[in-house]
Amino acid sequence: MARLNLLEETRFEKVPVSVYSDPTTASIAVAQRIADLIRSKQEKGEQAILGLATGATPVNVYAELVRLHKEEGLSFKNVITFNLDEYYPMQPDSEQSYVTFMNRNLFNHVDIERGNVHIPDGTLPMEEIHDYCLAYEQKITALGGLDLQVLGIGRTGHIGFNEPGSAPNSGTRLVTLDDLTRRDASRDFGGKENVPTKAITMGIGTIFKAREIILMAWNEKKAEIVKKAIEGEISSDVPATYLQLSENVEFVLDVDAASQLTRFDTPWLVKDCVWDRRTIKKAVVWLSHTLKKPVLKLTEDDYNNNGMAQLATEKGPVYHINIDIFNQLQHTITGWPGGKPNADDSQRPERREPSKKRSVIFSPHPDDDVISMGGTFIRLADQGHEVHVAYQTSGNTAVWDDDALRFVEFATDFVKSQGIDTQKLEALYKDARRFLVDKKPNQVDTPELLTVKGLIRKGEAIAGARFAGLPDENIHFQNLPFYDHGKYSKEQDYEDDIQQTMELLQRIKPHQIFAAGDFADPHGTHKVCFDIIHNAMKRLRETEAWTQDCWVWLYRGAWHEFEIHEIEMAVPLSPQEVLRKRHAIFKHQSQKDVPVFPGDDAREFWVRAEERTRETARLYDGLGMAEYEAIEAFVRWKFEEE
Ligand code: F6R
């Protein structure tokens, strides 16, 4: 049995959970615990036996340990480490190996004895693996067991590489990776097909024996699996749920990874709430979805039986609450994303004045505009606004090599057909072919190939924007420098990107900005692109009067829509508009069928876009709103509320 949980608020949580404001603060706290353990062992003249994980999650923990070593004299001389896992097969010096990862992030920067480092060996012949795994396990036991094991969690619920189906008493062994895990790793390997199908991993039983287990998870992408691991039934479908059986485990989360836990997501089920506007809307929308009843049909009993009695008493009668929420939802819907001229705008998402607005759609990659808000884009242009689109990056990593070759061949043949000398082009083509023969997965292309790939995407973006109704002079290619720097160095400075964005905005002086508001992946291009716009606007707001009348609307990228209670503008699309949007997306031929970076979703971009907008329409319908074919959703970013 796990420790007793005496708090009502955490009644659904079956393991101890600590929640921090952000991953950095959480990582520093975990590093401090590791450092305390190492030091207390040093004082006793003992060794600290650590179980370590790789992946994005522990990177800042290791960075903090390195800092503690360099700045505060923390020594690793008495530390023995065992890593959880390694891909199989895998050469230790390969870019993607966990040996490389650990050296880069920790071991190269501290004074650990190399003989004290253990990482499963990905080079063994198959027939030796069994004995090797047994010996790995025995070595840990012989040293007295792990003092502390740090873990991340995969979106399959794996810990180590113990994928769904793993047994609670499993030991170190060779396993087959889940398809989702391989997809998540595909960016590191330059395509899923390059991700090994197997790995050697410590077992759940091995992990379990550690005297202390800390499982860390950051960001919204982990929220769903974290909820299952903490609140769900113990099941081999989610191997991390086995940790509920341990006395020695703690989950360390940031607020985003914790956001789906009951106490944060539906707090009315576990405690008294402060019923502000946002919470009321969220709760009523939740109640309507949970009971599959339109908002106006929810009764006092429905409220009382679902943790919302306090709301009914404080703000009731419920009929009034229902009407209020119904009206709020209704007022988010508009076919006039640039405002409706000559109409009362007191209950509309956008202002009626000026009736012809200048709108800038920022698109992180060349196709986000049409994928994420193609219907709204077309509407704005149709309704006579001065619409501009700004493609923030070239997207030149996401074009297949053979497509690039095909375009160079085309260029050469065309130039030749016009009787112009093609010597240079032919030389370039030969170099490119030679380079591609030996190109390693994820290797950065030559500058010429990057140019060709960028131009392919530029042509597609122009076709898409023209199709949406824009004149050429309103199509802007920013080619923000951070995107190319990122390929060569981790050190980033966004000053040039911000300056360039300020200049563009100052030239257009928009009344509306549309920007991709995906914040789940802090290193992702979308987040960086938003931060650049945000910084540019913040600076302009200090001196430029027009910025006070400029509203910023956020749209979401391909993977995740806003929640219904968050949506402030819902633009419905007719079946014909859905089709027009689809054709705009089709202009991005290099991304069709199988894109280079499909992410963690096997569907084509246009399918994702349609399914997502249809789902939003379905959810609105379920609340008792009018039934639409599809809805594109937006949330307003308010500088005043920062
Ligand atoms: C890594 C490991 C995995 C990761 C998990 C989360 O050694 O065993 O279980 O902890 O896949 O990965 P990130 O941290 O990259 O999200």
Side-chain angles (χ1 to χ4, degrees):
M1 253 314 273
R3 269 174 275 179
L4 286 180
N5 178 1
L6 301 175
L7 294 175
E8 170 65 4
E9 188 186 356
T10 53
R11 130 168 95 96
F12 288 98
E13 297 171 21
K14 297 165 183 164
V15 287
V17 179
S18 304
V19 183
Y20 290 83
S21 59
D22 58 274
T24 314
T25 319
S27 300
I28 291 174
V30 172
Q32 196 55 53
R33 277 170 67 174
I34 299 174
D36 289 346
L37 171 75
I38 296 174
R39 287 204 177 102
S40 83
K41 290 279 181 178
Q42 268 158 9
E43 280 161 19
K44 291 187 258 174
E46 290 174 7
Q47 283 162 323
I49 321 291
L50 302 181
L52 299 181
T54 55
T57 309
V59 167
N60 282 330
V61 175
Y62 298 146
E64 175 64 5
L65 286 173
V66 170
R67 193 197 66 77
L68 289 171
H69 170 71
K70 294 208 164 129
E71 293 175 17
E72 297 182 18
L74 175 69
S75 171
F76 286 72
K77 285 272 186 235
N78 69 324
V79 174
I80 301 182
T81 63
F82 288 86
N83 261 78
L84 276 170
D85 41 22
E86 176 62 283
Y87 291 107
Y88 182 84
M90 180 53 69
Q91 292 301 321
D93 59 356
S94 145
E95 225 1 66
Q96 296 86 8
S97 84
Y98 285 167
V99 175
T100 303
F101 175 97
M102 289 308 298
N103 287 341
R104 266 194 206 149
N105 286 287
L106 183 63
F107 299 146
N108 285 350
H109 314 287
V110 296
D111 60 345
I112 193 163
E113 304 282 351
R114 286 294 163 151
N116 285 346
V117 167
H118 306 87
I119 300 176
D121 184 352
T123 68
L124 294 170
M126 197 58 112
E127 59 278 12
E128 288 176 25
I129 294 179
H130 179 260
D131 289 352
Y132 175 84
C133 289
L134 220 60
Y136 200 78
E137 197 88 21
Q138 278 161 357
K139 211 179 254 173
I140 299 175
T141 314
L143 287 163
L146 298 167
D147 291 306
L148 190 155
Q149 174 69 56
V150 290
L151 297 174
I153 180 168
R155 290 191 310 133
T156 56
H158 70 211
I159 47 176
F161 276 136
N162 295 283
E163 299 286 17
S166 299
N169 60 352
S170 50
T172 305
R173 68 204 188 288
L174 185 69
V175 294
T176 300
L177 296 177
D178 206 86
D179 194 60
L180 180 59
T181 302
R182 291 184 66 227
R183 261 193 272 149
D184 279 347
S186 67
R187 202 163 250 270
D188 292 339
F189 283 84
K192 194 181 92 175
E193 65 282 7
N194 303 318
V195 182
T197 54
K198 295 196 178 298
I200 298 177
T201 182
M202 282 187 197
I204 296 177
T206 328
I207 294 168
F208 230 80
K209 282 187 263 176
R211 278 181 283 283
E212 210 181 331
I213 303 170
I214 301 178
L215 186 147
M216 303 176 289
W218 330 131
N219 98 41
E220 222 180 297
K221 283 197 175 182
K222 294 283 171 77
E224 189 179 338
I225 196 69
V226 160
K227 180 186 171 74
K228 284 189 189 156
I230 295 175
E231 298 188 354
E233 294 300 319
I234 297 174
S235 147
S236 70
D237 290 347
V238 181
T241 54
Y242 287 125
L243 295 173
Q244 294 174 14
L245 296 166
S246 169
E247 289 275 3
N248 313 315
V249 70
E250 180 178 338
F251 278 50
V252 174
L253 310 175
D254 74 340
V255 281
D256 293 333
S259 61
Q260 286 193 20
L261 294 180
T262 304
R263 63 172 142 145
F264 300 111
D265 192 33
T266 47
W268 47 90
L269 293 177
V270 287
K271 62 175 181 188
D272 280 353
C273 292
V274 177
W275 289 104
D276 54 22
R277 257 174 91 80
R278 185 188 151 88
T279 315
I280 299 174
K281 189 170 176 194
K282 186 175 181 185
V284 175
V285 167
W286 169 84
L287 188 63
S288 158
H289 283 156
T290 307
L291 302 182
K292 297 193 172 46
K293 264 183 166 185
V295 170
L296 293 179
K297 284 192 179 172
L298 295 171
T299 64
E300 182 108 20
D301 277 352
D302 294 333
Y303 276 60
N304 292 344
N305 293 331
N306 290 282
M308 289 162 57
Q310 185 208 358
L311 171 62
T313 331
E314 274 180 27
K315 311 271 179 183
V318 300
Y319 181 69
H320 288 170
I321 303 176
N322 292 347
I323 291 205
D324 182 34
I325 298 302
F326 180 87
N327 286 335
Q328 283 185 40
L329 289 164
Q330 180 66 37
H331 294 152
T332 62
I333 303 174
T334 183
W336 300 85
K340 185 170 186 181
N342 307 319
D344 172 13
D345 60 3
S346 59
Q347 304 290 355
R348 291 177 174 276
E350 249 301 353
R351 304 146 295 173
R352 67 175 167 214
E353 296 291 345
S355 56
K356 296 285 175 242
K357 291 192 173 57
R358 287 185 297 277
S359 312
V360 179
I361 299 170
F362 280 100
S363 182
H365 301 97
D367 53 356
D368 291 312
D369 53 347
V370 283
I371 290 175
S372 304
M373 52 166 291
T376 306
F377 186 168
I378 293 171
R379 254 195 194 205
L380 285 167
D382 278 357
Q383 290 172 351
H385 300 287
E386 181 186 320
V387 184
H388 294 254
V389 61
Y391 297 104
Q392 295 177 280
T393 73
S394 65
N396 62 8
T397 45
V399 175
W400 294 107
D401 294 333
D402 50 0
D403 279 346
L405 283 181
R406 192 157 55 84
F407 272 81
V408 182
E409 282 158 11
F410 171 84
T412 314
D413 285 348
F414 178 68
V415 171
K416 204 185 263 170
S417 75
Q418 300 304 302
I420 305 169
D421 181 27
T422 53
Q423 230 180 333
K424 259 195 168 162
L425 270 174
E426 281 174 54
L428 185 154
Y429 176 71
K430 260 194 206 139
D431 285 349
R433 278 205 92 147
R434 215 171 302 130
F435 169 79
L436 291 177
V437 172
D438 297 323
K439 185 179 164 185
K440 303 251 171 349
N442 256 12
Q443 189 179 342
V444 177
D445 281 317
T446 60
E448 293 77 18
L449 271 170
L450 284 175
T451 304
V452 174
K453 291 183 174 184
L455 288 175
I456 292 176
R457 298 210 68 183
K458 183 177 177 185
E460 294 169 348
I462 293 174
R466 268 189 204 146
F467 182 86
L470 292 207
D472 290 1
E473 61 274 20
N474 290 9
I475 307 173
H476 310 273
F477 290 91
Q478 293 196 285
N479 277 322
L480 292 177
F482 87 86
Y483 187 69
D484 288 317
H485 290 165
K487 296 185 188 108
Y488 307 107
S489 111
K490 289 235 177 298
E491 298 298 313
Q492 282 285 14
D493 168 10
Y494 299 105
E495 193 50 36
D496 288 348
D497 310 280
I498 296 169
Q499 287 299 336
Q500 215 174 301
T501 303
M502 283 170 71
E503 278 160 32
L504 180 77
L505 287 168
Q506 182 60 15
R507 233 182 315 133
I508 301 173
K509 298 191 176 57
H511 305 99
Q512 286 187 312
I513 289 174
F514 290 87
D518 302 278
F519 305 135
D521 178 1
H523 308 293
T525 304
H526 283 213
K527 170 77 168 99
V528 174
C529 282
F530 175 75
D531 287 346
I532 290 166
I533 301 167
H534 185 221
N535 274 303
M537 273 304 280
K538 267 201 348 211
R539 291 193 203 173
L540 287 168
R541 281 170 66 87
E542 283 168 18
T543 54
E544 303 302 316
W546 63 265
T547 56
Q548 305 305 320
D549 294 323
C550 176
W551 285 14
V552 175
W553 290 101
L554 304 181
Y555 62 83
R556 280 273 166 96
W559 80 275
H560 189 203
E561 187 52 279
F562 293 110
E563 289 187 49
I564 295 292
H565 70 273
E566 298 175 310
I567 296 172
E568 289 172 278
M569 177 156 73
V571 181
L573 307 183
S574 67
Q576 290 86 333
E577 284 171 309
V578 171
L579 214 60
R580 264 178 92 186
K581 172 176 173 176
R582 186 190 299 174
H583 288 136
I585 299 174
F586 280 177
K587 299 291 177 197
H588 294 269
Q589 289 170 346
S590 69
Q591 307 304 301
K592 257 205 65 55
D593 304 330
V594 187
V596 178
F597 295 118
D600 42 41
D601 190 329
R603 296 169 300 171
E604 275 196 56
F605 290 124
W606 67 274
V607 181
R608 289 186 220 182
E610 287 186 15
E611 287 181 0
R612 193 179 68 170
T613 49
R614 249 187 216 121
E615 175 63 8
T616 308
R618 196 187 63 75
L619 291 171
Y620 261 70
D621 180 27
L623 292 163
M625 305 288 119
E627 191 179 344
Y628 295 102
E629 176 72 9
I631 287 180
E632 288 179 345
F634 302 86
V635 164
R636 209 181 132 202
W637 180 272
K638 299 182 192 82
F639 291 94
E640 310 77 44
E641 289 177 7
E642 282 180 43

